[in-house]
Amino acid sequence: MPIVTVNMMEGRSDEQKERMIAEVSDALVRSLGAPIESVRVLINEMPKQHFGIAGQSAKKMGK
C-alpha cells in the first residue's frame, strides 16, 4: 500500500487539493503498478507562520 504525505502551506482550495490527490494517485499507479484502491495520500497543511523561508516565516514574507 503506497502512502504519500504532502506537506504544504494552507491556502489552497478544496478543488486544488482534490486535483492533487488524483494526480499523485495516478502517478503512483503508473510508476509502481499499484492498484488505485491501495493508494493513500495524506495532506498536512500548516499555517504560513509555521513555514520558514530564508530565515523568515512565509506569513511575514507575504507568501
Side-chain angles (χ1 to χ4, degrees):
M1 171 187 337
I3 302 171
V4 173
T5 303
V6 178
N7 296 308
M8 61 186 185
M9 286 187 284
E10 64 188 0
R12 284 150 179 111
S13 69
D14 288 344
E15 293 79 17
Q16 288 173 310
K17 290 182 265 188
E18 289 288 344
R19 189 169 50 248
M20 186 270 299
I21 290 169
E23 292 191 21
V24 168
S25 296
D26 288 344
L28 290 172
V29 168
R30 283 191 313 273
S31 62
L32 301 178
I36 190 73
E37 298 81 14
S38 72
V39 175
R40 306 293 187 264
V41 178
L42 308 172
I43 299 173
N44 291 324
E45 287 187 289
M46 61 196 75
K48 293 179 180 186
Q49 64 269 23
H50 293 182
F51 194 99
I53 303 168
Q56 297 182 30
S57 73
K59 182 177 182 177
K60 184 175 182 180
M61 296 178 78
K63 299 280 183 183

